[in-house]
């Protein structure tokens, strides 16, 4: 049997396993090892499993994932989300649509410390949704803005998705984190502008909230000094070259722990819960990573990326045409699987094509994560939509998707802007200290 036929059968079996609810890491590992065994032999394949597993869990660079996971767990459990929402609400909550704007800003702040889209969406479904409903905001808008705000966790550092992309493509994690800052801030700004446009077009749809005095506003800012200081210290140290990404993760986790204890926000039970939460999530990510690496070796010996690259190049649509086809593929995949699975399954195939076409790997990392973000909220299967539905029981999927549509349009516009102006993603990384 030819290597092309083996690769094709491998992909068919992989998707069949995922449709049968086999965890994506297990499915990729099983197909990768079986395919590698068929072509090279069982002995080398089993040896590859041991080497890959050991190297992945003991690699110093990979330590960035559990460290930032632990930082996010401490921050989430210590109640920072409520403090961020309260502070943002104090400044803009009195405007029409102000609670929506406050939700977006607070989601951005929380995402910048937790690094998880799903965690951000789940947290603010419990924090911001009841508040918006109390003031008469429609269900569709309330859930839609939370779903969109949650996607910021995939872009703003310390993004787990960006870290995994960096590991799979052997790029600098610190530079990728820096590259996500300006596009992440642009996302927050464009979401706020989108809410303003909704208010202009339908003035009676979104009510105004309660006006806060300056004393209350200053009081709200006092509550967020700790997470703000932590973010500036960790990301500033990374930008200035004082920390490696793994060290920044360790500093962030330690800082989140100390600030939570000092401020009386973490007790013994909560610390244990944070440790268990971070361990479970990290174990799941590492399982998928090992499976992806094994699948990547299988793809390498079948030369699938090279053959796909030759096929796409021969289409004659130009490099931006090929990029558009890749983005379209991600939008379709967004209907079938979650963000991490998309990145891990496709990057080993797509990345060599991107390098061959001459695109910057750091810039492409941001583009791919932005497209994955869009997959988290667009119909018919958006992971953030399912997360919100699991928290807010009395709202239908159709209602959430209706509220998400304006933000999907915003994301598409932002994607075009980032493709047209790569400097938005590359400006900060180019100025990092060596």
């Amino acid at each position: 049997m030819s290597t092309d036929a083996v690769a094709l059968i491998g992909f068919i079996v992989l998707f069949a396993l995922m449709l049968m609810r086999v965890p994506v890491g297990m499915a990729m590992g099983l197909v990768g090892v079986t395919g590698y065994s068929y072509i090279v032999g069982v002995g080398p394949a089993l040896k590859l499993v041991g080497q890959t597993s050991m190297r992945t869990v003991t690699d110093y660079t990979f330590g960035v994932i559990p460290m930032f996971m632990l930082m996010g767990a401490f921050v989430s459990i210590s109640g920072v989300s409520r403090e961020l929402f309260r502070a943002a609400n104090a400044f803009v909550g009195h405007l029409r649509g102000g609670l929506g704007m406050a939700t977006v800003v607070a989601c951005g702040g929380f995402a910048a410390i937790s690094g998880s889209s799903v965690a951000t969406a789940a947290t603010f479904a419990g924090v911001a949704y009841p508040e918006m409903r109390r003031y008469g905001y429609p269900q569709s808008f309330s859930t839609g803005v939370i779903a969109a705000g949650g996607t910021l966790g995939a872009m703003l550092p310390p993004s787990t998705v960006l870290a995994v992309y960096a590991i799979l493509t052997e790029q600098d994690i610190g530079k990728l984190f820096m590259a996500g800052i300006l596009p992440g801030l642009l996302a927050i700004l464009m979401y706020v502008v989108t809410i303003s446009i909704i208010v202009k077009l339908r003035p009676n749809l979104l009510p105004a909230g309660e006006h806060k005095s300056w004393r209350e506003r200053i009081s709200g800012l006092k509550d967020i000094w700790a997470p703000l200081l932590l973010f500036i210290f960790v990301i500033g140290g990374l930008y200035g070259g004082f920390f490696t990404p793994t060290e920044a993760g360790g500093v962030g986790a330690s800082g989140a722990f100390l600030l939570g204890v000092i401020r009386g926000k973490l007790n013994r039970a909560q610390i244990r819960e944070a440790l268990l939460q971070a361990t479970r999530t990290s174990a799941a990510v590492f399982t998928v990573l090992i499976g992806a690496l094994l699948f990547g070796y299988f793809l390498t010996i079948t030369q699938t990326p090279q053959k796909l690259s030759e096929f796409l190049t021969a289409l004659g649509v130009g490099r931006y045409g090929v990029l558009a086809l890749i983005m379209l593929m991600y939008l379709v995949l967004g209907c079938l699987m979650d963000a991490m699975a998309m990145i891990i399954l496709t990057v080993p195939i797509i990345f060599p094509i991107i390098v061959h076409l001459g695109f910057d790997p750091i810039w492409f990392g941001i583009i791919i994560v932005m497209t994955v973000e869009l997959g988290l909220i667009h119909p018919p299967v958006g992971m953030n939509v399912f997360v919100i539905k699991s928290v807010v029981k009395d709202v239908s999927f159709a209602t959430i998707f209706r509220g998400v549509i304006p933000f999907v349009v915003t994301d598409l516009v932002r994607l075009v802007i980032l493709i047209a102006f790569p400097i938005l993603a590359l400006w900060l990384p180019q100025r990092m200290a060596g």
Side-chain angles (χ1 to χ4, degrees):
M1 194 185 300
S2 69
T3 55
D4 289 351
V6 173
L8 180 60
I9 292 170
F11 276 105
I12 292 171
V13 172
L14 176 63
F15 281 107
L17 289 172
M18 288 195 294
L19 286 173
M20 290 190 295
R21 304 282 184 178
V22 175
V24 66
M26 297 293 185
M28 293 177 76
L30 184 60
V31 171
V33 172
T34 305
Y36 197 90
S37 299
Y38 181 83
I39 296 171
V40 179
V42 175
L46 293 177
K47 188 176 180 181
L48 187 67
V49 173
Q51 290 176 340
T52 303
S53 302
M54 184 59 68
R55 189 173 65 247
T56 302
V57 298
T58 59
D59 192 305
Y60 173 78
T61 305
F62 288 15
V64 68
I65 293 175
M67 286 296 99
F68 277 122
M69 290 279 188
L70 184 57
M71 172 181 164
F74 280 137
V75 166
S76 178
I77 289 172
S78 61
V80 166
S81 56
R82 291 188 182 279
E83 295 169 352
L84 288 168
F85 179 71
R86 198 179 303 120
N89 184 31
F91 280 87
V92 297
H94 62 283
L95 303 172
R96 285 194 177 276
L99 284 176
M101 298 176 189
T103 300
V104 168
V105 173
C107 280
F110 186 78
I113 315 170
S114 73
S116 169
S117 291
V118 171
T120 304
T123 300
F124 281 89
V127 172
Y129 179 79
E131 195 71 9
M132 283 191 275
R133 293 294 291 152
R134 186 163 70 88
Y135 281 96
Y137 279 66
Q139 277 189 324
S140 59
F141 175 86
S142 302
T143 51
V145 76
I146 293 168
T151 64
L152 297 168
M155 179 62 67
L156 289 163
S159 164
T160 308
V161 178
L162 278 177
V164 169
Y165 171 86
I167 289 168
L168 291 174
T169 59
E170 299 182 350
Q171 297 299 307
D172 187 306
I173 296 177
K175 286 188 175 181
L176 271 161
F177 281 175
M178 289 301 118
I181 292 178
L182 291 181
L185 293 175
L186 178 65
I188 294 172
L189 177 62
M190 290 183 70
Y191 285 160
V192 169
V193 170
T194 301
I195 295 169
S196 301
I197 292 171
I198 292 171
V199 170
K200 289 283 186 184
L201 296 177
R202 302 182 65 183
N204 297 322
L205 179 68
L206 305 178
E210 185 181 340
H211 196 285
K212 304 287 185 181
S213 67
W214 277 102
R215 177 176 292 180
E216 290 173 303
R217 293 176 182 179
I218 299 300
S219 175
L221 288 179
K222 288 178 183 176
D223 290 335
I224 64 167
W225 70 268
L228 184 62
L229 179 66
L230 183 65
F231 177 77
I232 291 172
F233 184 65
V234 171
I235 300 303
L238 199 57
Y239 181 80
F242 299 108
F243 309 139
T244 65
T246 306
E247 289 167 347
V251 168
S254 303
F257 169 74
L258 290 173
L259 287 171
V261 171
I262 291 169
R263 298 167 69 220
K265 302 290 185 178
L266 288 174
N267 57 34
R268 184 174 295 180
Q270 289 170 320
I271 292 168
R272 182 175 180 274
E273 183 185 347
L275 291 169
L276 287 172
Q277 179 181 313
T279 302
R280 289 193 195 102
T281 311
S282 299
V285 171
F286 274 106
T287 301
V288 179
L289 258 180
I290 292 168
L293 293 170
L294 293 171
F295 188 69
Y297 288 123
F298 166 60
L299 293 177
T300 300
I301 60 170
T302 58
Q303 294 191 315
T304 301
Q306 295 90 323
K307 290 170 183 174
L308 184 59
S309 177
E310 290 169 8
F311 170 75
L312 290 173
T313 306
L315 290 176
V317 294
R319 64 182 198 143
Y320 282 100
V322 173
L323 181 67
L325 289 174
I326 291 170
M327 296 300 101
L328 185 61
M329 177 197 75
Y330 277 111
L331 291 177
V332 173
L333 283 178
C335 300
L336 306 172
M337 60 183 69
D338 63 56
M340 189 68 75
M342 275 194 278
I343 292 286
I344 287 174
L345 176 62
T346 59
V347 163
I349 308 168
I350 298 299
F351 186 71
I353 300 171
I354 291 300
V355 173
H356 175 72
L357 292 172
F359 288 113
D360 187 286
I362 299 292
W363 169 81
F364 180 69
I366 301 304
I367 293 298
I368 197 176
V369 168
M370 283 182 61
T371 312
V372 165
E373 282 183 46
L374 191 51
L376 290 173
I377 59 173
H378 80 69
V381 182
M383 186 59 64
N384 279 11
V385 173
F386 277 82
V387 168
I388 290 169
K389 170 64 177 171
S390 70
V391 178
V392 184
K393 309 287 187 185
D394 64 336
V395 63
S396 68
F397 285 116
T399 299
I400 304 174
F401 279 124
R402 192 164 63 247
V404 156
I405 287 171
F407 301 101
V408 170
V409 174
T410 302
D411 277 347
L412 289 171
V413 173
R414 181 163 53 101
L415 194 56
V416 171
I417 291 172
L418 262 291
I419 291 172
F421 302 101
I423 191 65
L424 288 170
L426 297 176
W427 189 75
L428 281 177
Q430 288 171 354
R431 279 152 184 78
M432 279 182 70

